[in-house]
Amino acid sequence: MTINRRQLLGQVTGAAAGIAFTSCGFGHHHAAAQPAAPAVRRREVAVSGKRVRTVDVHAHCHIPEADALMGVKQTFPGLMIGDDRIKIMDEQGIDIEALSINPVFWYKADPDLARQVVKLQNEKLTEFCAKHPDRFVGLASVALQHPELAAEQLGDATKRLGLRGALIGGSVNGMELADPKLHPFWAKAEELGALIFIHPQGTPEIEATGRLKGNGVLGNVIGNPLETTIALSHLIFQGTLDAYPGLKICAAHGGGYLPSYAARSDQGCVTFPTRCDVTLKKKPTEYLRQLYYDSMVFTSEGLRHLIAEVGADQIVMGTDYPFPWTTTAVDHILNTPGLSDADRVAMLGGTAHKLLGIKPI
Ligand SMILES: [Zn+2]
């Protein structure tokens, strides 16, 4: 059973509405104990009557000053960082957003510009989060195309600024995340215990062939989860996760297609052993249970299957705000049948609290 605390509060408010207040009277000091109830607008999520502080790990923003530095202008509604998003969070029952910025532009930047852009973004994001410390935490930007610099930026962002990790693309200018050139970055992420959120940037190599053109937004609908699938597969099969077993990696969009067809990953090297040249410490699918995933799979059946493959403790709520893929991320978790209270609490916010280093209330 789950209880929506807003409904509960609504009932209390309704009952209180019948009471005649005398707070305007003279000398009725006891009336102060019965203040007029304010309009309850913030949705407070609860599981079996117990309040859960929910966390959205997948929420985007842009920093206008950094965009200006790169000569680009973002016009998507809600993308600019600002206080207005709190209203949406209140409506949807999101208590905390982990804000991040997609590396669409600065992955092409030379070290000088990349340094400036990333510094500006991380500092502005930190400033904004500090204004609302109970509602926002930040994931840093890093210039992954310059791996040593990216490692340095991750250290600066987490230690000096207090950001909780970083968002990176699923590849960087055609380089796989498992490329040994990126080992300094992974080593630093592991050392810091920083959450690395892998967010796909599409599959430009396939888009270039024209195969994702036409109706259906396929460059995104297929291209994004495909890139995540490729990125995670390389991290597993090239032995990156064996080399850095303490990494805390969260994959966007439920891990793309990988958890949907995971068992095939175990059969490739069994079927074609001469085509495999890296010996892994575990079965490929076992690595799926040490990664984290957002809950953006849309249906109860999708969530049930993801849980079956990776475990409920590995799933964290994500909305992709301000892109309106969903407005019901909380209900998706509350309403999926067959889950324990502990499962729901973990996905709504419990696991994200640990990953992001958010102190319990
Ligand atoms: Zn996104």
Side-chain angles (χ1 to χ4, degrees), residues 58-60 102 167 197 199 224 252-253 296 320-321 323 325:
H58 187 162
H60 298 294
N102 264 320
L167 178 147
F197 188 71
H199 192 292
N224 273 10
H253 315 128
M296 280 194 65
D320 222 340
Y321 183 84
F323 303 104
W325 291 97

Coordinates of all heavy atoms in Angstrom, one line a residue, residues 58-60 102 167 197 199 224 252-253 296 320-321 323 325, ligand 1:
H58 N 18.1 12.8 -13.2 CA 18.3 13.1 -14.6 C 17.5 14.4 -15.0 O 16.3 14.3 -15.4 CB 17.7 11.9 -15.4 CG 18.0 12.0 -16.9 ND1 17.9 10.9 -17.7 CD2 18.3 13.0 -17.7 CE1 18.1 11.3 -19.0 NE2 18.4 12.6 -19.0
A59 N 18.1 15.5 -14.7 CA 17.5 16.8 -15.0 C 18.5 17.7 -15.6 O 19.6 17.9 -15.0 CB 16.9 17.3 -13.6
H60 N 18.1 18.3 -16.7 CA 19.1 19.1 -17.4 C 18.9 20.6 -17.2 O 17.8 21.1 -16.9 CB 18.9 18.9 -18.9 CG 19.2 17.5 -19.3 ND1 20.4 16.9 -19.2 CD2 18.4 16.5 -19.8 CE1 20.4 15.6 -19.6 NE2 19.1 15.4 -19.9
N102 N 24.2 18.8 -20.7 CA 24.7 17.9 -21.7 C 25.9 18.5 -22.5 O 25.9 19.7 -22.8 CB 23.6 17.6 -22.7 CG 22.9 16.3 -22.4 OD1 23.5 15.3 -22.1 ND2 21.5 16.3 -22.6
L167 N 28.4 14.5 -15.3 CA 27.7 13.9 -16.5 C 28.7 13.9 -17.6 O 29.3 14.9 -17.9 CB 26.4 14.7 -16.9 CG 25.7 14.2 -18.1 CD1 24.2 14.5 -18.0 CD2 26.2 14.8 -19.4
F197 N 27.4 10.0 -14.4 CA 26.1 9.8 -15.1 C 26.4 9.8 -16.6 O 26.9 10.8 -17.2 CB 25.2 10.9 -14.7 CG 23.8 10.7 -15.2 CD1 23.0 9.7 -14.7 CD2 23.3 11.5 -16.3 CE1 21.7 9.5 -15.1 CE2 21.9 11.3 -16.7 CZ 21.2 10.3 -16.2
H199 N 25.3 10.0 -20.2 CA 24.1 10.4 -21.0 C 24.5 10.4 -22.4 O 25.4 11.1 -22.9 CB 23.7 11.8 -20.5 CG 22.4 12.2 -21.0 ND1 22.2 12.5 -22.4 CD2 21.2 12.4 -20.4 CE1 20.9 12.8 -22.6 NE2 20.3 12.8 -21.4
N224 N 19.8 7.4 -29.1 CA 20.3 7.6 -27.7 C 20.5 6.3 -26.9 O 21.6 6.0 -26.4 CB 19.4 8.6 -27.0 CG 19.8 10.1 -27.2 OD1 20.7 10.3 -28.1 ND2 19.2 11.0 -26.5
A252 N 21.8 6.6 -18.3 CA 20.5 7.3 -18.6 C 19.6 6.3 -19.3 O 20.0 5.3 -19.8 CB 20.8 8.5 -19.4
H253 N 18.3 6.6 -19.2 CA 17.3 5.9 -20.0 C 17.3 4.4 -19.7 O 17.2 3.6 -20.6 CB 17.4 6.2 -21.5 CG 17.7 7.7 -21.8 ND1 18.7 8.1 -22.6 CD2 17.0 8.8 -21.4 CE1 18.7 9.4 -22.7 NE2 17.6 9.9 -22.0
M296 N 13.8 5.7 -16.4 CA 13.0 6.2 -17.6 C 12.7 5.1 -18.6 O 13.1 5.1 -19.7 CB 13.8 7.3 -18.3 CG 13.7 8.6 -17.6 SD 14.3 9.9 -18.6 CE 13.2 9.9 -19.9
D320 N 14.4 13.5 -17.0 CA 14.8 14.1 -18.2 C 14.3 15.6 -18.3 O 14.3 16.1 -19.4 CB 14.5 13.3 -19.5 CG 15.7 13.3 -20.5 OD1 16.6 14.2 -20.4 OD2 15.7 12.4 -21.4
Y321 N 13.8 16.1 -17.2 CA 13.4 17.5 -17.3 C 14.4 18.4 -17.9 O 15.6 18.3 -17.6 CB 13.0 18.0 -15.9 CG 12.4 19.4 -15.8 CD1 11.0 19.6 -16.1 CD2 13.2 20.5 -15.6 CE1 10.5 20.9 -16.1 CE2 12.7 21.8 -15.7 CZ 11.4 21.9 -15.9 OH 10.8 23.2 -16.0
F323 N 12.8 18.3 -20.8 CA 12.3 17.6 -22.0 C 11.1 16.8 -21.5 O 11.2 15.9 -20.6 CB 13.3 16.7 -22.6 CG 14.5 17.5 -23.0 CD1 15.7 17.5 -22.3 CD2 14.5 18.4 -24.1 CE1 16.8 18.3 -22.6 CE2 15.6 19.2 -24.4 CZ 16.7 19.2 -23.7
W325 N 9.4 14.1 -21.6 CA 9.2 12.7 -21.9 C 8.1 12.1 -20.9 O 7.4 11.2 -21.2 CB 10.5 11.9 -21.7 CG 11.5 12.2 -22.7 CD1 12.6 13.1 -22.7 CD2 11.6 11.6 -24.0 NE1 13.3 13.0 -23.8 CE2 12.8 12.1 -24.7 CE3 10.9 10.6 -24.7 CZ2 13.2 11.8 -25.9 CZ3 11.3 10.2 -26.0 CH2 12.4 10.8 -26.6
Ligands
ZN1 ZN 18.5 13.6 -20.7

